[in-house]
């Protein structure tokens, strides 16, 4: 009878460890799903800012201010 009781205790301990592992995995999965959702939102935001295919202009997708490029101003200023 003592052997049976010891076996039941070992099985109960193993079940508790398994339950804790499953709980941890579920928490990790929920965190990863949140990160995936955030990444999808960021990608959708970037895609929504892309110019139409017929638009030949370049666009800064990061939203940083870029000064307009003027071919006449590409050289160093002169003094004459």
């Amino acid at each position: 009878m003592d052997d049976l009781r010891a076996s039941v205790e070992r099985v109960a301990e193993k079940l508790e460890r398994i339950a804790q592992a499953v709980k941890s995995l579920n928490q990790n999965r929920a965190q990863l799903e949140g990160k995936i959702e955030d990444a999808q939102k960021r990608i959708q935001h970037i895609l929504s800012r892309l110019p139409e295919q017929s638009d030949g202009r370049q666009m800064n997708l990061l939203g940083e201010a870029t000064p307009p490029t003027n071919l006449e101003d590409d050289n160093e200023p002169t003094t004459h």
Side-chain angles (χ1 to χ4, degrees):
M1 193 65 146
D2 289 337
D3 290 339
L4 182 58
R5 190 172 291 136
S7 293
V8 169
E9 285 181 25
R10 283 194 307 272
V11 169
E13 289 171 2
K14 287 181 180 181
L15 286 174
E16 179 61 29
R17 287 194 300 264
I18 291 170
Q20 290 174 356
V22 168
K23 182 179 178 181
S24 176
L25 288 172
N26 284 334
Q27 289 173 342
N28 289 342
R29 181 181 50 83
Q31 287 176 342
L32 290 174
E33 286 174 350
K35 288 180 180 182
I36 289 170
E37 186 176 325
D38 289 344
Q40 288 173 334
K41 287 178 183 177
R42 288 192 306 269
I43 290 168
Q44 188 60 44
H45 177 73
I46 289 170
L47 291 176
S48 70
R49 296 183 65 201
L50 285 173
E52 297 294 323
Q53 279 189 324
S54 61
D55 190 349
R57 297 175 293 159
Q58 290 183 344
M59 178 177 249
N60 182 354
L61 296 178
L62 299 177
E64 298 169 353
T66 55
T69 303
N70 189 347
L71 295 177
E72 297 172 0
D73 294 336
D74 283 347
N75 297 327
E76 296 281 327
T78 58
T79 57
H80 41 124

